[in-house]
Amino acid sequence: DKKIEEAATGCKVAKLQLQVMRSQKFEVTEAFLGLCLEYNGNSEAIPQVTQAEGLEYMVTSLIKRMSQKKRKMAFTTGHNESDTAQGFTFLKHFLDQEYDVTSVNPSVTPIGDDVDAIVVGGPKQPFDEKGAKEIDAFLMKGKGAIFLIDGMAMSSPQGNMPELQQMQPKIGQPNNTGLGPLLEKYGFKVGEDFIFDKKQAAPGLVDFGGRKMIATVPAFLVAEPPEGEASKDKDFSVLEGVTAIIFPWSSSVALTGPLANGKPTMPGARLWTLATSSADAWKQTGFFFFSPNAKFEETKDRGPFAMGYAYQGTLKSAFAPATAPGMSEPGTPSGESRKPVHLVVIGDSDFASDETLQSARVVPEYQNGAHMLFNAISWAIEDETLTAVRTKTVGSRPLHADADAKAGLYKIVNIAGVPLLFIGFGLARWRMRRGSRLQQKL
């Protein structure tokens, strides 16, 4: 039908060549297998639907995008952080579908009132006082924030030493982000350490002679949500569909200040541990030299260690009492946030990075890092509509028939067998009830 074909093409539903099975034979046919939605004079399409996997999420996100205004989130820049332009480009496509994504340098520009949440994606250069005050002022408005902080930073040594360049060594040194005092006032301290774990280690990308190779070293830590806590809390969606996260070169996160005893002091506030190492993990502090052939010496500072926390509740300003913190207008925050804040602090910025996700081809669990970061953004921005369907999967269970006779038998059983079985059950139950009535006597 030319009219239907023109309508489909006009709505950007593409024509496909499909293999269709008819009478136990495969045939190639052309078809329009897509989805077009119209709302309020606008139309959007899923051009091709070739598998059931992820279809519920695509349809739901399409409906949400057409019927609701996008919430706005921002990645901080100016301090060598990762954002959707570099470091988190894999997430860009998915984030753009749900949110209005932008970037801001808090040390130069105020964070706009229309921004609902920010992500600080692993700064390698320190924030100045203006930047820290601007972030504090933003949180005092009751907005959300995700801090991905590397306590230690890995870098390649400088100099003309061919033998070292061939080995591709790395040097780990404390990473000064300038945000340590700010986070400690909120109750979190990212350690200047690496957490290694031989028991719960996964293969990861390592430089071998200038080439990326997969190797299992304790630096690629497999951390799990604590049982009975965040993973089973129905009111907490950050870990929805996430069973374990692989953190490469991660640092520990400890509770301090107002959270030092492990419980929030503010009324109604809640605290969740996102993931922990095993008890066999150890902490490496100070200057650290790594090469692919390096031997990891265990220390006496043993686990388990927390890799990150999430906090929901009223937050006290790190700079209170102040009338004009940062570059915000006078009186932006007082001593406390205007409403409960959604705050996430993780001691690693690489668990969802583009480079780390390359390892998902070998170890699928690496995808969990991207899922958790996406969930955390939704939670921080207080827009969790799609979190429940984002990680849903649909398994395919095909029937394998060796001959046409078997295929015909499967069809007969599915079409006629089930109804006949139901009828047989009904007849048997009717006979039993009839026999019971005949045996009754007055």
Side-chain angles (χ1 to χ4, degrees):
D1 189 318
K2 289 294 183 182
K3 289 185 178 180
I4 297 178
E5 184 173 336
E6 290 174 1
T9 304
C11 197
K12 299 181 182 178
V13 174
K15 184 184 289 187
L16 299 176
Q17 283 194 340
L18 303 174
Q19 287 185 335
V20 181
M21 185 175 181
R22 291 194 180 98
S23 301
Q24 289 79 52
K25 293 182 180 179
F26 278 107
E27 299 177 358
V28 177
T29 185
E30 290 186 336
F32 287 90
L33 189 58
L35 180 69
C36 180
L37 297 180
E38 295 182 356
Y39 175 76
N40 202 24
N42 298 317
S43 63
E44 292 280 353
I46 301 175
Q48 300 178 3
V49 178
T50 56
Q51 59 182 17
E53 185 99 21
L55 182 58
E56 182 179 0
Y57 169 71
M58 288 191 288
V59 174
T60 312
S61 62
L62 197 61
I63 294 173
K64 181 174 180 289
R65 185 163 71 245
M66 296 180 68
S67 59
Q68 299 179 20
K69 182 182 178 180
K70 286 184 177 181
R71 305 288 293 275
K72 192 171 186 177
M73 55 88 54
F75 284 83
T76 64
T77 59
H79 312 86
N80 202 14
E81 304 102 314
S82 295
D83 58 12
T84 53
Q86 183 178 4
F88 295 133
T89 59
F90 175 82
L91 285 173
K92 175 176 172 56
H93 170 71
F94 300 98
L95 288 172
D96 285 343
Q97 290 185 18
E98 294 191 33
Y99 306 115
D100 182 5
V101 183
T102 185
S103 60
V104 60
N105 184 349
S107 298
V108 177
T109 308
I111 304 174
D113 290 335
D114 58 340
V115 176
D116 298 294
I118 61 171
V119 177
V120 183
K124 301 300 187 294
Q125 296 174 358
F127 278 74
D128 58 13
E129 187 178 6
K130 288 183 178 180
K133 284 187 174 182
E134 186 60 32
I135 291 176
D136 183 75
F138 177 77
L139 290 174
M140 291 306 104
K141 298 175 186 177
K143 304 297 183 74
I146 299 172
F147 293 91
L148 309 180
I149 305 296
D150 300 294
M152 299 277 281
M154 297 295 290
S155 59
S156 299
Q158 302 295 322
N160 298 318
M161 300 179 66
E163 65 277 7
L164 288 182
Q165 293 176 4
Q166 182 66 23
M167 292 172 62
Q168 292 298 313
K170 297 284 187 180
I171 296 176
Q173 302 178 76
N175 179 36
N176 178 22
T177 64
L179 296 175
L182 180 74
L183 293 177
E184 289 182 34
K185 289 290 183 67
Y186 299 151
F188 305 96
K189 181 178 177 61
V190 179
E192 292 182 349
D193 54 47
F194 286 127
I195 303 302
F196 297 146
D197 195 335
K198 288 182 178 178
K199 182 178 180 180
Q200 292 185 187
L205 288 174
V206 178
D207 283 338
F208 279 93
R211 296 179 60 190
K212 293 288 186 181
M213 305 288 286
I214 293 290
T216 301
V217 294
F220 300 99
L221 167 68
V222 182
E224 299 178 350
E227 294 211 4
E229 285 192 40
S231 58
K232 297 183 180 180
D233 191 337
K234 294 182 179 179
D235 297 329
F236 185 66
S237 63
V238 174
L239 297 174
E240 182 79 37
V242 178
T243 55
I245 310 101
I246 302 177
F247 293 101
W249 303 103
S250 59
S251 301
S252 63
V253 181
L255 298 175
T256 186
L259 301 176
N261 63 356
K263 295 183 179 179
T265 56
M266 303 298 286
R270 301 185 67 184
L271 180 70
W272 297 270
T273 305
L274 295 179
T276 58
S277 69
S278 74
D280 294 317
W282 73 91
K283 184 183 292 186
Q284 175 72 46
T285 59
F287 182 86
F288 177 75
F289 182 85
F290 168 78
S291 72
N293 301 319
K295 184 179 180 181
F296 288 82
E297 298 290 342
E298 300 184 21
T299 66
K300 294 181 179 179
D301 197 349
R302 314 294 290 195
F305 302 103
M307 316 311 297
Y309 291 94
Y311 172 86
Q312 176 183 335
T314 306
L315 204 64
K316 287 188 176 181
S317 172
F319 298 97
T323 55
M327 294 164 291
S328 298
E329 295 183 5
T332 297
S334 56
E336 296 181 0
S337 58
R338 297 176 186 172
K339 62 179 184 178
V341 172
H342 287 63
L343 184 65
V344 174
V345 180
I346 299 175
D348 183 45
S349 66
D350 296 320
F351 67 95
S353 68
D354 298 335
E355 182 173 322
T356 299
L357 289 175
Q358 295 178 40
S359 300
R361 293 173 293 182
V362 180
V363 184
E365 284 74 16
Y366 273 101
Q367 297 180 16
N368 288 341
H371 288 319
M372 188 180 76
L373 180 55
F374 207 149
N375 291 348
I377 292 172
S378 300
W379 181 76
I381 214 169
E382 298 184 61
D383 185 2
E384 303 163 77
T385 308
L386 301 177
T387 301
V389 298
R390 191 175 293 131
T391 56
K392 277 188 177 181
T393 59
V394 179
S396 177
R397 303 178 183 85
L399 293 172
H400 299 285
D402 299 329
D404 291 345
K406 277 192 176 182
L409 179 62
Y410 287 150
K411 282 186 177 181
I412 293 172
V413 170
N414 279 313
I415 295 172
V418 175
L420 288 174
L421 184 63
F422 183 76
I423 292 170
F425 172 78
L427 288 172
R429 184 167 177 78
W430 170 72
R431 293 282 297 179
M432 291 172 62
R433 295 181 65 179
R434 184 170 181 271
S436 177
R437 286 199 301 270
L438 292 176
Q439 291 178 4
Q440 294 178 359
K441 294 182 180 180
L442 295 176

